[in-house]
Amino acid sequence: MDFTTLSGRVMVEAMNCPTSLADQSLRAAVTEFCRRTKRWIKCTDPIMTVAGIHTYTVIPPDGALVHALVRATVDGAAVDLLPSEFLDAADPRWREGEGPSVARIVAESTRAIRVQPVPTTGGERVELFAAVVPDRTSTEVDDEIGEKYDEAFVYGALYRILNMRTAPWYDPAEAEKKRRYFEREVSDAMTERVRGFATGDARVAMRRVW
């Protein structure tokens, strides 16, 4: 879905607002919504492990930026995905060790992961599922996200636009109303995400690693 198609709905409530400003505000709203709710989940480009190589680059999906890595699979089976800071505090020697099969994925950042133990054979397929936001030039979100949360995007754009003090459409009371509506949509989406994970929304097989 091209979220700039929602500009008309924004401009109806902010009369004389330029299309470019409506589009810019929609981009900001979509980005904030996706960043806070982590509802837009995409699979990054698959990674094939190589013997002796422990660190791999995360390639984001086209038109998106990775905000957070949320889960991982190896050959289709779920494995632990942990931040490096957590392991550094728990076991400073966690980077040591080699083995034939990847047991967990360590997120060094949103741009790089480390597999552990270091593979001795390689050839395993690592898939990363990431919460993403639109990149700086994209106007697209998945249709499912756009159709389900279009009202949130419009509210998010309007509370920004209506709060512009020097603009002829300035309406702080209405801006505050739209902000509350946006916050409600964000809260509902976050609740949906938590419930989804609790009920096994990941849809991946569990993997025994011992």
Side-chain angles (χ1 to χ4, degrees), residues 16-93:
N16 299 316
C17 169
T19 302
S20 58
L21 178 58
D23 291 348
Q24 177 184 340
S25 299
L26 280 165
R27 181 189 302 281
V30 172
T31 299
E32 180 184 357
F33 181 88
C34 293
R35 176 179 55 80
R36 292 174 60 188
T37 66
K38 297 183 177 68
R39 285 300 284 162
W40 188 16
I41 305 296
K42 300 278 284 184
C43 186
T44 65
D45 284 1
I47 296 168
M48 297 302 295
T49 60
V50 178
I53 304 298
H54 52 66
T55 301
Y56 300 84
T57 300
V58 176
I59 306 298
D62 290 342
L65 299 173
V66 174
H67 170 61
L69 298 175
V70 296
R71 60 184 184 264
T73 66
V74 176
D75 288 342
V79 295
D80 287 339
L81 173 64
L82 301 170
S84 57
E85 296 86 353
F86 173 84
L87 291 174
D88 286 338
D91 179 10
R93 300 178 60 185

Side-chain angles (χ1 to χ4, degrees), residues 73-124:
T73 66
V74 176
D75 288 342
V79 295
D80 287 339
L81 173 64
L82 301 170
S84 57
E85 296 86 353
F86 173 84
L87 291 174
D88 286 338
D91 179 10
R93 300 178 60 185
W94 67 266
R95 291 176 177 82
E96 301 175 8
E98 297 181 339
S101 183
V102 173
R104 62 186 172 188
I105 305 296
V106 181
E108 298 277 15
S109 69
T110 57
R111 298 181 179 182
I113 61 161
R114 186 179 178 111
V115 298
Q116 205 273 330
V118 180
T120 54
T121 55
E124 291 181 294

Side-chain angles (χ1 to χ4, degrees), residues 4 6-27 157-158 160-162 164 166-170:
T4 61
L6 301 174
S7 293
R9 290 164 59 180
V10 172
M11 292 186 288
V12 165
E13 298 195 52
M15 297 298 293
N16 299 316
C17 169
T19 302
S20 58
L21 178 58
D23 291 348
Q24 177 184 340
S25 299
L26 280 165
R27 181 189 302 281
L158 281 170
R160 291 170 163 82
I161 292 173
L162 295 174
M164 295 179 173
T166 59
W169 54 78
Y170 176 56

Side-chain angles (χ1 to χ4, degrees), residues 1 3 6 9-10 13 26 29-30 33 144-160 177-186 188:
M1 173 186 172
F3 55 75
L6 301 174
R9 290 164 59 180
V10 172
E13 298 195 52
L26 280 165
V30 172
F33 181 88
E144 181 181 358
I145 297 297
E147 293 168 5
K148 186 170 186 176
Y149 300 115
D150 59 331
E151 288 191 356
F153 301 159
V154 172
Y155 292 146
L158 281 170
Y159 92 72
R160 291 170 163 82
K177 183 190 298 184
K178 301 304 185 190
R179 187 194 66 79
R180 290 198 302 268
Y181 291 164
F182 178 75
E183 291 296 331
R184 182 190 63 197
E185 295 284 338
V186 168
D188 288 348

